[in-house]
Amino acid sequence: MYKISNLKENKEMSSLNKINYPAFSKHQVEVFIKRDDLIHPIISGNKWRKLKYNLKAAKEMGKTQILSFGGAYSNHIHALAYAGKINNLDAIGIIRGEPHYRNNFTLTWATHWGMTLEFVDRKTYKLRHNEEYLAQLQLQYPDAYIIPEGGSNHLALPGVGEVITELNEQLEYDYLLTPVGSGGTLAGLINADNNQHNLLGIAVLKQDGYLADEVNLLLAAQASNLDNWKILNQFHRGGYGKYKTADAQRILQFSQQTGIPFEPVYSGKMLLAFLDLLEQGYFQAGAKIVLLHTGGLQGLGGMAERGLLNADEWPVPERAPNC
Ligand SMILES: Cc1ncc(COP(=O)(O)O)c(C=O)c1O
């Protein structure tokens, strides 16, 4: 079992727990997990961090709606729906795919919390960063504060940066690992870390380097001075959402031994990458390493529903009541 370390307790912060695991003592490293998945029961992990200042901005601008984009099983859409509900903002989700997805695990919850869903085909969805399309949406929804897919914009950075502020109070460490999807989380960490630690982003999808460009774009002017980070591209295990049975078994086995829940799309891929790097001798003896748990456990619901994993083995959350 993992132990709660005797680190500074602060209810405002997500907890930092030391993990005891045989491979860690074998390689003489100390490993900690920053439990951002526990920040909020629904708006978990990096969603909480990325939305925090976006929601504030929406309210300050007097907006009454929040609108964003996502796939039919999106963690971001799930979190945004609930964030809208508790912030008195009407949430609108522009969803890639056909309306029958409305009944899936993620979107049933989104509807339950009051989100309005608008389904668009793949061609239209591709326009989600296009200025003209966004201007047209803004005309259609004049009271909406528009947040990009995944919540990754410049206002996501200060929210994510608070992970670094908290960690600086919790522990002296050498490495921080995070999964990378769109790059917003890593960009926020880099920005706040200001070259203090080694930041390793684990790409969860196949790509040829565009993620580093995305991160640099979000960092804008500061990017050139900040060189303490890397995106590792060799741990995607076949692409976004893909993994082998053996990968899933390794994640489950780690969860069972440590008591920490993971899912195989983001946090689980980061975990496997970390275990592989450890075996390859990437970390020097004595290194203190922090894994950032970015949440996303709601995704297990949709995966179980599609028969992609066994609901008896994984911590699959409850379905929304039918509405
Ligand atoms: C649970 C979870 N972890 C990590 C990520 C990756 O974060 P980012 O898109 O900011 O790189 C995502 C996607 O946004 C996610 O849903």
Side-chain angles (χ1 to χ4, degrees):
M1 285 298 288
Y2 72 98
K3 285 194 190 140
I4 309 280
S5 56
N6 291 329
L7 297 163
K8 191 176 166 187
E9 274 290 309
N10 182 341
K11 293 258 176 329
E12 297 296 310
M13 297 186 188
S14 72
S15 63
L16 183 72
N17 303 152
K18 184 168 184 183
I19 314 174
N20 294 317
Y21 193 67
F24 303 165
S25 29
K26 179 179 149 202
H27 291 275
Q28 299 173 44
V29 294
E30 284 186 73
V31 183
F32 300 82
I33 188 152
K34 176 83 172 146
R35 293 296 304 271
D36 268 17
D37 57 313
L38 298 178
I39 287 185
H40 184 276
I42 295 156
I43 314 167
S44 91
N46 63 349
K47 303 303 163 236
W48 175 274
R49 304 283 189 183
K50 291 202 263 189
L51 287 175
K52 182 173 175 183
Y53 291 103
N54 275 298
L55 293 165
K56 195 163 174 265
K59 287 192 197 165
E60 282 169 3
M61 288 164 75
K63 299 286 185 182
T64 56
Q65 299 177 318
I66 34 172
L67 178 151
S68 196
F69 311 85
Y73 297 94
S74 162
N75 292 325
H76 169 61
I77 288 292
H78 184 264
L80 190 79
Y82 195 77
K85 176 180 158 75
I86 61 174
N87 284 283
N88 275 330
L89 293 163
D90 294 330
I92 298 148
I94 308 289
I95 311 295
R96 180 187 59 224
E98 299 80 39
H100 68 80
Y101 284 117
R102 181 181 295 285
N103 300 321
N104 81 14
F105 179 92
T106 303
L107 298 183
T108 318
W109 273 117
T111 312
H112 180 73
W113 294 319
M115 182 180 253
T116 303
L117 302 175
E118 192 179 307
F119 291 88
V120 297
D121 59 26
R122 272 157 211 279
K123 203 170 145 209
T124 309
Y125 193 81
K126 278 203 177 127
L127 297 172
R128 66 196 179 280
H129 303 299
N130 175 291
E131 275 181 33
E132 257 176 60
Y133 173 68
L134 289 171
Q136 193 189 313
L137 268 178
Q138 192 70 79
L139 276 180
Q140 194 183 338
Y141 297 102
D143 299 322
Y145 178 88
I146 301 182
I147 302 176
E149 182 186 55
S152 291
N153 60 5
H154 70 286
L155 280 184
L157 270 57
V160 174
E162 290 175 0
V163 171
I164 299 288
T165 317
E166 294 178 15
L167 280 173
N168 282 344
E169 290 198 31
Q170 288 172 310
L171 182 75
E172 280 184 19
Y173 62 100
D174 303 296
Y175 293 90
L176 173 61
L177 273 74
T178 185
V180 181
S182 66
T185 304
L186 181 60
L189 296 175
I190 297 168
N191 193 39
D193 191 61
N194 203 16
N195 282 334
Q196 295 178 85
H197 304 97
N198 297 300
L199 307 180
L200 298 180
I202 309 300
V204 301
L205 42 91
K206 252 192 219 169
Q207 50 99 35
D208 50 12
Y210 82 85
L211 277 178
D213 296 341
E214 293 293 311
V215 169
N216 279 318
L217 213 69
L218 280 164
L219 288 170
Q222 301 95 305
S224 54
N225 329 322
L226 303 172
D227 55 5
N228 58 329
W229 61 279
K230 257 187 222 160
I231 297 182
L232 302 179
N233 292 318
Q234 66 274 39
F235 297 108
H236 56 73
R237 297 180 196 270
Y240 181 75
K242 300 210 171 112
Y243 55 90
K244 305 217 161 46
T245 311
D247 298 330
Q249 286 313 317
R250 281 176 77 201
I251 297 171
L252 277 174
Q253 189 256 344
F254 188 88
S255 284
Q256 279 154 10
Q257 280 202 30
T258 60
I260 306 165
F262 290 94
E263 45 69 51
V265 180
Y266 293 102
S267 56
K269 275 196 187 169
M270 170 190 64
L271 170 71
L272 294 181
F274 170 60
L275 294 174
D276 289 350
L277 287 167
L278 192 60
E279 281 309 313
Q280 291 162 17
Y282 189 93
F283 303 100
Q284 73 277 17
K288 285 189 183 169
I289 302 148
V290 177
L291 308 177
L292 178 61
H293 197 315
T294 50
L297 296 166
Q298 76 83 27
L300 292 169
M303 297 177 81
E305 179 181 85
R306 285 173 287 163
L308 300 176
L309 51 79
N310 182 346
D312 297 332
E313 291 178 326
W314 295 83
V316 175
E318 258 178 53
R319 271 193 78 86
N322 274 338
C323 51

